[in-house]
Amino acid sequence: MASLHIRDVRKNYGNVACLKAINIDADDGEFLVLLGPSGCGKSTLLNAIAGLEPVSDGEIVIDGTVVNDVESAKRDIAMVFQSYALYPTMTVRKNLTFGMRVRGVPKHEQEAAVERVAAILQLDQLLDRKPSQLSGGQRQRVAMGRAMVREPKIFLFDEPLSNLDAKLRTDMRAEIKKLHQRVGTTTVYVTHDQIEAMTLATRIVVMKGGEVQQIGTPEDVYDRPSNLFVARFIGSPAMNCLRGRLQGDGAAASFVGGQDRKQPLKIALGALSPGQQRYIGRDIVLGIRPEWFALAEHADAFDATVDVVEPTGADNFVLVSAAGESIMTRFAPGVGRAGESVRLSANAAKALIFDAVTEQRVP
């Protein structure tokens, strides 16, 4: 196991900046997820850590050693790719031992490593099969096992589940999490799937346009996104981001917005922090997760009309309209009927305020 430090790393392709001053610290044994939309630079950063891409500037430090000029094979990392990259003519056993055989590892050490990894990944009964005889999930476990036999300092995963169907992705997420809990190896995992990020990570690095937008625990990036990009990108359904004005005083403030000026949307926010109080009388963006709304009949509630109900089994996603604004809410099964009038209130303790110009969250 090892720590990983990314220090002011930049990567340029001609005049195009793909990575812009990336700074990340991963502790020994951490599971770090690089999350962002396609083209944000997360795979480029992973390849730079692996030594597959040289950086234009900055340092990559693994276990206290700057590895910028260390070739990939000598960085003591193991990478699992989106494609399983298994040798089709070799059995599972030979796929697992191939790298060790190339390096001249004694046969008894190879056998011990295969036995250890096969037990962890439940590959014992598959060792004499070839990849064509395996399911997608089994192939991915073999690809993981081939990385594990090396006992590397760092595991690198490049969207390893994107080729699997929904059920297999769920199963393999659990397998990867159990694997990390057992072996505790520092892991960097690239994905554009926020569910994978939220369920696997000890910390998430949210990226956009080659820049880090936020680094935090899954709870941090979900409950306290640093800006509107993170707020909208994390969460399914996405956070409601409503434009309007902050009114009232520091002890009893309200958000006032919506398209209907005669009957505007008014959401009670209660007491504000000192930083938020500076925005009274100014335009803001109010961020509220769908589950932060509740049915209510008290005076601070606002009127809404149910437009669409999307049952998912465990929840009902209920799209409502209020003062010309569409708002997504999340309730228990059976709640909401199209055309129904409801009264809603927002959880003021959870609601977030963002600067309307900079789009940064106001603490």
Side-chain angles (χ1 to χ4, degrees):
M1 293 188 291
S3 59
L4 171 69
H5 303 283
I6 312 296
R7 296 175 177 165
D8 205 29
V9 163
R10 303 168 191 268
K11 175 64 179 179
N12 301 322
Y13 292 102
N15 294 325
V16 178
C18 186
L19 297 176
K20 307 170 185 176
I22 304 294
N23 287 279
I24 301 169
D25 294 305
D27 295 331
D28 190 6
E30 188 161 16
F31 198 118
L32 194 73
V33 173
L34 307 181
L35 175 67
S38 298
C40 72
K42 55 189 185 296
S43 289
T44 301
L45 179 57
L46 194 78
N47 288 335
I49 296 169
L52 303 177
E53 287 276 3
V55 299
S56 303
D57 199 8
E59 291 183 337
I60 297 173
V61 183
I62 296 176
D63 202 19
T65 301
V66 178
V67 297
N68 290 44
D69 298 323
V70 178
E71 60 185 86
S72 180
K74 296 181 179 179
R75 293 192 182 189
D76 200 8
I77 54 92
M79 195 163 183
V80 179
F81 296 93
Q82 177 178 348
S83 60
Y84 314 122
L86 302 178
Y87 298 105
T89 60
M90 294 183 185
T91 63
V92 169
R93 186 188 304 276
K94 289 184 176 179
N95 265 283
L96 294 176
T97 60
F98 179 78
M100 292 186 287
R101 283 185 281 126
V102 170
R103 297 194 303 274
V105 175
K107 191 164 185 178
H108 71 276
E109 292 185 20
Q110 295 180 33
E111 292 172 352
V114 169
E115 185 177 339
R116 171 178 58 83
V117 169
I120 292 173
L121 295 176
Q122 299 177 2
L123 297 173
D124 313 69
Q125 307 302 314
L126 307 176
L127 293 175
D128 296 320
R129 296 187 189 180
K130 292 184 178 180
S132 61
Q133 299 171 298
L134 304 178
S135 68
Q138 289 169 337
R139 292 180 197 177
Q140 194 56 273
R141 293 213 304 274
V142 175
M144 290 162 55
R146 189 174 54 187
M148 288 173 60
V149 293
R150 294 184 53 192
E151 295 187 335
K153 289 181 178 177
I154 296 178
F155 280 130
L156 304 179
F157 288 85
D158 189 7
E159 303 201 46
L161 308 185
S162 59
N163 289 336
L164 304 180
D165 61 40
K167 184 181 185 306
L168 269 179
R169 281 202 302 272
T170 301
D171 294 342
M172 287 306 300
R173 281 204 311 266
E175 292 289 341
I176 292 173
K177 189 152 192 171
K178 286 191 290 185
L179 169 63
H180 183 256
Q181 290 170 346
R182 287 172 182 166
V183 301
T185 304
T186 306
T187 300
V188 182
Y189 186 106
V190 163
T191 185
H192 62 270
D193 186 325
Q194 57 175 292
I195 302 300
E196 285 180 30
M198 294 291 290
T199 54
L200 290 172
T202 54
R203 282 194 305 153
I204 297 173
V205 179
V206 184
M207 297 181 65
K208 174 192 175 188
E211 296 179 304
V212 172
Q213 301 294 308
Q214 184 173 358
I215 302 176
T217 65
E219 293 79 11
D220 283 337
V221 297
Y222 189 82
D223 287 336
R224 294 172 292 279
S226 61
N227 56 43
L228 281 177
F229 171 79
V230 179
R232 290 170 173 145
F233 190 76
I234 300 290
S236 181
M239 179 180 286
N240 296 285
C241 297
L242 308 172
R243 291 189 174 270
R245 185 170 288 264
L246 192 60
Q247 294 185 352
D249 56 43
S254 295
F255 165 86
V256 179
Q259 306 300 315
D260 189 340
R261 295 188 177 183
K262 293 182 178 179
Q263 291 185 312
L265 172 63
K266 186 173 183 179
I267 300 177
L269 299 178
L272 301 178
S273 70
Q276 293 168 344
Q277 290 178 27
R278 295 198 296 269
Y279 282 78
I280 292 175
R282 295 169 58 183
D283 289 340
I284 63 164
V285 177
L286 183 68
I288 308 178
R289 297 273 181 210
E291 64 270 23
W292 297 349
F293 286 101
L295 297 172
E297 290 295 339
H298 53 69
D300 287 335
F302 62 90
D303 293 316
T305 301
V306 175
D307 291 332
V308 177
V309 178
E310 299 178 353
T312 67
D315 301 288
N316 269 11
F317 297 144
V318 181
L319 184 67
V320 305
S321 57
E325 291 282 357
S326 290
I327 299 173
M328 180 61 77
T329 63
R330 186 173 191 163
F331 294 116
V335 175
R337 295 189 307 276
E340 178 184 15
S341 296
V342 294
R343 285 180 62 78
L344 302 172
S345 65
N347 185 337
K350 290 273 194 177
L352 305 173
I353 293 174
F354 297 89
D355 187 297
V357 177
T358 68
E359 298 190 347
Q360 298 296 304
R361 179 171 59 84
V362 181

